């Protein structure tokens, strides 16, 4: 029996299965809702979004951080007169760590940690007197420390030590074969095995926890 003859014998069964609502259940239609500043969003230019462990949606915009509970927005902005507010209005990166802390990467104000109990922000900056640049990525290592990178022209890698709050800046050094392999840092992340990876313009770097160096 040829393949064509075999197919023709099975054709009535195939047609029956195709017409059966059990075999091919209709997929539910998804409805999209547009949320803009008319609905309470602080700004229509959104740079990042995150859903936290409590189900809240967070949106980073060029004019503050927005929390959405499914019904309304709560907006957090920079206030020069309030040290507990965001350190800057432009929000470019969001990250939730293993303890449920929300980390906020700003445009020129460094890194912020949101305190859910008070609604205030704790500010972290490598050099408080100057900007470290726009934060482009954030992650957490297996020791609970927070890593983050900044965008060009100040494209660098930092590690925030928890709980001391000290910030370490890892830089390229031509004299050190175990330093980062480039002055241009693009991204940092942690994989499923706990390894920290750093992407640069010249490839990947893996962090060596024991020796505090890079491979």
């Amino acid at each position: 029996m040829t393949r064509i003859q075999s197919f023709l014998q099975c054709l009535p069964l195939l047609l029956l299965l195709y017409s059966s609502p059990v075999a091919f259940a209709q997929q539910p239609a998804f409805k999209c809702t547009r949320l803009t500043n008319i609905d309470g969003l602080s700004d229509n230019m959104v740079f990042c979004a995150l859903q936290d462990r409590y189900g809240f949606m967070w949106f980073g915009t060029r004019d503050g951080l927005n929390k959405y509970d499914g019904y309304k927005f709560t907006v957090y902005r920079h206030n020069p007169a309030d040290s507990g507010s965001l350190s800057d209005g432009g929000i470019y990166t969001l990250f939730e760590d293993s303890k449920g802390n929300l980390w906020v990467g700003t445009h020129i104000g460094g890194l912020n940690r949101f305190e859910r109990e008070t609604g205030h922000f704790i500010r972290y900056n490598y050099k408080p007197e100057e900007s470290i640049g726009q934060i482009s990525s954030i992650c957490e290592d297996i020791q609970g420390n927070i890593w983050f990178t900044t965008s060009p022209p100040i494209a660098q890698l930092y590690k925030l030590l928890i709980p001391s709050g000290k910030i370490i800046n890892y830089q390229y050094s031509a004299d050190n074969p175990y330093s980062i392999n480039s002055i241009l840092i693009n991204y940092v992340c942690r994989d499923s095995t706990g390894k920290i990876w750093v992407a640069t313009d010249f490839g990947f770097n893996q962090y060596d926890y024991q020796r505090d160096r890079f491979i």
Side-chain angles (χ1 to χ4, degrees):
M1 182 182 297
T2 66
R3 290 185 178 180
I4 295 179
Q5 290 173 326
S6 178
F7 172 76
L8 291 175
Q9 284 189 349
C10 294
L11 185 58
L13 178 59
L14 292 173
L15 291 175
L16 177 63
L17 287 172
Y18 183 80
S19 62
S20 171
V22 176
F24 293 90
Q26 185 176 3
Q27 296 297 319
F30 291 96
K31 180 182 179 181
C32 293
T33 300
R34 177 177 296 178
L35 300 170
T36 69
N37 56 354
I38 298 176
D39 305 291
L41 188 67
S42 63
D43 192 273
N44 287 337
M45 186 172 287
V46 178
F47 297 111
C48 55
L50 177 145
Q51 184 178 28
D52 67 19
R53 62 180 60 191
Y54 303 103
F56 295 113
M57 291 298 302
W58 296 84
F59 302 99
T61 75
R62 63 181 175 183
D63 182 27
L65 177 66
N66 297 251
K67 180 176 74 172
Y68 185 62
D69 62 6
Y71 300 96
K72 66 180 185 302
F73 285 97
T74 301
V75 179
Y76 302 90
R77 288 187 170 93
H78 169 62
N79 181 356
D82 182 6
S83 61
S85 69
L86 284 164
S87 58
D88 183 54
I91 311 301
Y92 285 82
T93 315
L94 295 170
F95 175 77
E96 185 180 29
D97 68 19
S98 59
K99 298 180 180 64
N101 294 311
L102 181 69
W103 296 88
V104 183
T106 68
H107 177 47
I108 59 173
L111 188 67
N112 294 243
R113 175 172 59 84
F114 179 62
E115 287 191 321
R116 297 180 187 271
E117 299 80 9
T118 64
H120 294 160
F121 293 86
I122 306 298
R123 303 175 180 182
Y124 300 90
N125 206 332
Y126 181 61
K127 295 181 178 180
E129 69 278 5
E130 62 184 67
S131 169
I132 62 173
Q134 177 181 310
I135 295 180
S136 54
S137 63
I138 308 171
C139 77
E140 179 187 18
D141 67 21
I142 58 175
Q143 298 169 337
N145 301 310
I146 300 298
W147 294 72
F148 59 99
T149 59
T150 54
S151 299
I154 315 174
Q156 296 192 32
L157 173 69
Y158 300 88
K159 178 171 69 172
L160 171 64
L161 299 179
I162 303 296
S164 70
K166 179 183 178 182
I167 297 179
I168 300 173
N169 178 209
Y170 292 97
Q171 296 184 347
Y172 166 74
S173 173
D175 300 325
N176 182 5
Y178 297 105
S179 72
I180 290 290
N181 68 349
S182 172
I183 60 172
L184 295 176
I185 313 297
N186 296 318
Y187 200 83
V188 61
C189 67
R190 190 181 93 180
D191 68 19
S192 59
T193 67
K195 295 183 178 68
I196 291 291
W197 295 89
V198 184
T200 74
D201 279 13
F202 289 93
F204 284 100
N205 299 255
Q206 181 188 316
Y207 179 64
D208 184 339
Y209 282 94
Q210 293 184 339
R211 297 176 177 85
D212 190 30
R213 66 185 191 183
F214 295 89
I215 304 169

